[in-house]
Amino acid sequence: MSAPRTTTTPTQPADASPGSTSPLIETPERQALRRAVGDLGRRYGSAYYLDKARQGLPADELWAEAGKAGYLGVNLPIEYGGGGGGITDLAIVLEELGTAGCPLLLLIVSPAICGTVIARYGTEQQKQRWLPGLADGTRRMAFGITEPDAGSNSHRISTVARRDGDDWLLTGRKVFVSGIDHADAVLFVGRTEDARTGKLKPALFVVPRDTPGFEYRPIPMELVAPEKQYQVFLDDVRLPADALVGDENAGLLQLFAGLNPERIMTAAFSLGLARQALAKAVDYAKSRTVWDTPIGAHQGLAHPLAVCAIEIELARLMTQKAGHLYDAGDDLAAGEAANMAKYAAGEAAARTVDQAVQTLGGNGLTQEYGLGALLTATRVGRVAPVSREMILNYVAQHTLGLPRSY
């Protein structure tokens, strides 16, 4: 694997927050990537990120600098401007930015899901058109799969594409599509009719944002993030034949090429939130003194924080395993590991942020410390892109061999 491109050579030591490195299983190149991305993230920090989010603005400056340094495309092929790495490397980027206070949600979508799918299944023309821009950050792509009535059941997706001569006509509705307002296009999951069986099967289409018949509206959210959420209405959106990504008859194979990276990246997103919160709690517990003793000396606070550190590290190891399996091409094993990693990281983040707020007391809910915003953000890792309950269903059925419950 080629080392990721960077514009500068990192000289500062790695972030010393709990769980900041895993030298036993990470190469020196990946440790250097962690340090470099961490340095970039700390130059911006949570104050920058939250200020952008509360103004309803995208984190364009950070996104552009990360793209110029090669971090956004670290997982994409070198011949299209990427770093030649894998999803493991991109997960490092998101985790370290999140730890520094800048958990860019669009990293999960643009280079991870859309970039991976196009790199694996796109035509040469599609790769040349989209991947260089996704790699350097000058182009962004959103991803639309969730529907109001389908929930976690991808088999109930009702967005349908039908042929009209050489074109496609795409009709349907999507919800919770992140960052459309600053995306150049959206990779939509629809369904087409199988000519052999007449049954509908998943298919992927790239739809530029300015395509006629494509309407999107913001969904008011309590989530404090630069990326807004949207509902989408597709009314006979006419698309050229080359809007279809990959083989029309590949079905779920191509879809899960994007969904497994999505789970791995969501785990990295949660890990960044957890490490950010734990670092703030530990620093506060060391410096906050009551009755002449730092509050961190009391086991009532020290032990819960220690448990959080353990759970974070266990979730990080699972995430690294999932990334390794996916990058090695073992999609079946990666699916199991990605689900487990997403579950473990989501739970660790929720518990860690809750404990961090408890450690800071009233200060934990002030804007100064930024932990209150993380309370809502940690729910992302528990409910999206697949709920914790559906992951437990998956593990029960596929790992344990128990009867299917739904």
Side-chain angles (χ1 to χ4, degrees), residues 121-123 192 201-204 244-251 253-254:
Y121 296 107
T123 64
T192 61
K201 59 192 183 305
L204 300 163
L244 176 70
V245 177
D247 186 348
E248 177 186 348
N249 297 309
L253 177 66
Q254 293 170 170

Side-chain angles (χ1 to χ4, degrees), residues 119-137:
R120 285 185 69 167
Y121 296 107
T123 64
E124 182 61 28
Q125 182 181 14
Q126 288 169 338
K127 293 176 184 178
Q128 290 181 1
R129 179 181 180 185
W130 294 107
L131 293 184
L134 297 183
D136 66 16

Side-chain angles (χ1 to χ4, degrees), residues 103-171:
L104 297 180
L105 190 62
L106 203 59
L107 265 171
I108 301 174
V109 179
S110 190
I113 302 175
C114 302
T116 297
V117 169
I118 292 173
R120 285 185 69 167
Y121 296 107
T123 64
E124 182 61 28
Q125 182 181 14
Q126 288 169 338
K127 293 176 184 178
Q128 290 181 1
R129 179 181 180 185
W130 294 107
L131 293 184
L134 297 183
D136 66 16
T138 57
R139 306 193 85 172
R140 306 179 207 190
M141 190 176 288
F143 179 65
I145 181 172
T146 304
E147 295 185 358
D149 299 321
S152 298
N153 186 356
S154 59
H155 299 284
R156 289 191 61 189
I157 287 175
S158 60
T159 298
V160 174
R162 66 183 190 277
R163 290 190 179 277
D164 185 43
D166 293 333
D167 293 344
W168 292 96
L169 292 178
L170 187 64
T171 298

